[in-house]
Amino acid sequence: FVIHPSFVRPTFTTASRPAVRSTVSSPLQPLHVGGFDYQPDDEIPSNPITAEKADDIEEGFTPDPARLLSPRLGGTNLYLVGLMGSGKSAVGRELALRMGSYTFIDTDEVITNLLPGDATISDFFESEGEEEFRKIESQVLAGVHGYVRCVVSTGGGIVCLPQNWSKLQTGIVVFLDPSLDVIADRLKNDDSRPLLQGDDESPKSKLEGIMNKRRKMYEQADVVVKIGEEGVEQVVDVLVRETHKFIDENPPKQYQQPEDSADVGGDDGAKQ
Ligand SMILES: Nc1ncnc2c1ncn2[C@@H]1O[C@H](COP(=O)(O)OP(=O)(O)O)[C@@H](O)[C@H]1O
Ligand SMILES: O=C(O)C1=C[C@@H](OP(=O)(O)O)[C@@H](O)[C@H](O)C1
C-alpha cells in the first residue's frame, strides 16, 4: 500500500463542502438562553421537515435540541471517540442528520477510500501493521480538522497518539462509553475489526485489554456519554443534552478590551 500524503483528504458524503476553518472567528456562539430553553424568536435553520412543521406550528412547539446545537457551536467540529463498536459511526451519522447543517465524516471510511481496490482496514493492518495505520489515521485527522461544521467519527485508536489530541481539541471531543458486554455483543458476528481477530483470546477479553490501556485517554474527552441499553436515537438525545451542558459550563471566552490606559493611575489608585 502506498498512500501519498497529498491524497489524504476527506471525501464528503453530502454535496456541500464545509467552509474552511479560517473563516470562523468565534468557535462557540452562546444561545440567548441556557440549556434547552427555547425562545420563539430564535432562528431555526430551515430544512424541509422543520419548514413543514413550522406550517402548523403550535404554541409551545419545541424544536429538536440537536438542531439548536449547530448555532451554539458556530462551526466547531464534534469528534466522537471510544472503543470499536461503541457506536461512533451509527451515532455520528444520526447526530449530523438531526443537527441539520453538519456534515458526517468517518475517518475509517476516509482511510478505506484511500486504499487500492476493495482493500479493507483489516487488509492494511495485515500487510502494513498497526503503526503504519496510525500514521495514515493521523494524516487523515490533520486533513479533516481543517474543516468546520463536521461530526467526525474517529477510529477507536485515534486517542493513542498525543499529536492527534492537538487536532481533536480544536473541537469538542465526545466519548461514547457502553459496557464491554454490550460492545462484544454488537461485534460478535463482525470480522471487520482486526484487533479483535484471532483465537488466542475471547473478543471480550481483547476489548478489556485495549480499554485498560486507553480509558485514561478516552476520559480526556470534554463530554462522556455512558451507554446502557439505549438505542442510537436515545444515545443522540443524551449526547446532545450533555453537549449543551458542556457549552453552558464552558462559555466561549469573550474578547476582553484592554483596560483603558486613561484609567491607569485613576481615581481608585489601584494601579499606582
Ligand atoms: N446504541 C446502539 N444500540 C444498538 N446498536 C448500536 C448502537 N450503537 C451502535 N450500534 C450498532 O453496533 C455496531 C457497531 O457500531 P458502530 O457505529 O460501527 O461503532 P464504531 O463506529 O464505534 O466502531 C453497528 O452494527 C451499529 O449499528
Ligand atoms: O480501536 C482501534 O484501534 C481500531 C478501531 C477501528 O475503528 P472503529 O473504532 O470505528 O471500529 C479501526 O480504526 C481499526 O480497526 C483500529
Side-chain angles (χ1 to χ4, degrees):
F1 292 104
V2 180
I3 299 175
H4 190 278
S6 66
F7 295 124
V8 181
R9 274 187 245 110
T11 50
F12 293 99
T13 45
T14 61
S16 64
R17 206 180 148 96
V20 290
R21 171 164 288 276
S22 60
T23 60
V24 176
S25 52
S26 166
L28 296 175
Q29 298 295 334
L31 264 187
H32 302 298
V33 289
F36 296 112
D37 293 342
Y38 169 65
Q39 296 288 320
D41 288 342
D42 283 352
E43 186 191 340
I44 306 168
S46 65
N47 106 341
I49 300 167
T50 318
E52 201 177 291
K53 280 189 181 164
D55 282 344
D56 47 19
I57 197 162
E58 290 165 26
E59 196 107 340
F61 166 73
T62 312
D64 185 345
R67 188 157 284 271
L68 293 177
L69 256 189
S70 312
R72 297 197 79 189
L73 289 168
T76 297
N77 291 342
L78 292 175
Y79 291 98
L80 307 191
V81 302
L83 272 189
M84 53 202 109
S86 58
K88 302 177 296 289
S89 306
V91 169
R93 188 170 280 112
E94 180 65 22
L95 174 65
L97 203 68
R98 281 176 56 181
M99 287 175 74
S101 54
Y102 266 57
T103 301
F104 174 69
I105 300 177
D106 185 330
T107 58
D108 282 339
E109 203 177 301
V110 176
I111 295 170
T112 306
N113 288 339
L114 291 165
L115 302 179
D118 292 336
T120 62
I121 286 179
S122 294
D123 296 333
F124 189 88
F125 261 70
E126 200 178 320
S127 130
E128 310 296 318
E130 182 171 348
E131 203 174 320
E132 282 307 305
F133 177 80
R134 298 289 166 223
K135 286 186 196 161
I136 304 294
E137 189 171 54
S138 280
Q139 290 174 35
V140 166
L141 178 64
V144 165
H145 102 291
Y147 293 86
V148 292
R149 286 190 288 283
C150 296
V151 174
V152 184
S153 157
T154 63
I158 211 154
V159 295
C160 298
L161 295 190
Q163 64 265 36
N164 290 344
W165 279 94
S166 66
K167 313 295 185 316
L168 296 172
Q169 282 172 335
T170 62
I172 293 181
V173 183
V174 181
F175 169 33
L176 299 187
D177 189 21
S179 71
L180 297 182
D181 283 322
V182 165
I183 295 181
D185 190 53
R186 284 182 192 167
L187 299 182
K188 63 178 184 278
N189 299 318
D190 189 330
D191 60 5
S192 67
R193 307 313 199 273
L195 295 180
L196 298 186
Q197 303 313 303
D199 297 328
D200 46 330
E201 255 181 290
S202 72
K204 162 107 185 277
S205 128
K206 286 182 175 148
L207 283 167
E208 215 158 32
I210 296 171
M211 190 50 135
N212 286 342
K213 288 193 203 130
R214 292 184 186 165
R215 181 167 279 284
K216 273 206 156 51
M217 297 179 255
Y218 289 138
E219 286 179 345
Q220 301 297 313
D222 301 304
V223 175
V224 177
V225 179
K226 291 265 174 213
I227 300 168
E229 297 299 320
E230 297 92 340
V232 173
E233 277 284 322
Q234 289 166 298
V235 174
V236 172
D237 289 340
V238 178
L239 187 163
V240 166
R241 193 177 65 225
E242 293 303 313
T243 306
H244 273 294
K245 207 194 285 177
F246 174 78
I247 300 173
D248 288 340
E249 289 165 1
N250 298 275
K253 290 201 172 53
Q254 300 294 328
Y255 175 69
Q256 305 250 315
Q257 281 281 359
E259 225 172 293
D260 190 336
S261 53
D263 288 339
V264 175
D267 288 342
D268 63 5
K271 293 268 166 73
Q272 285 178 5

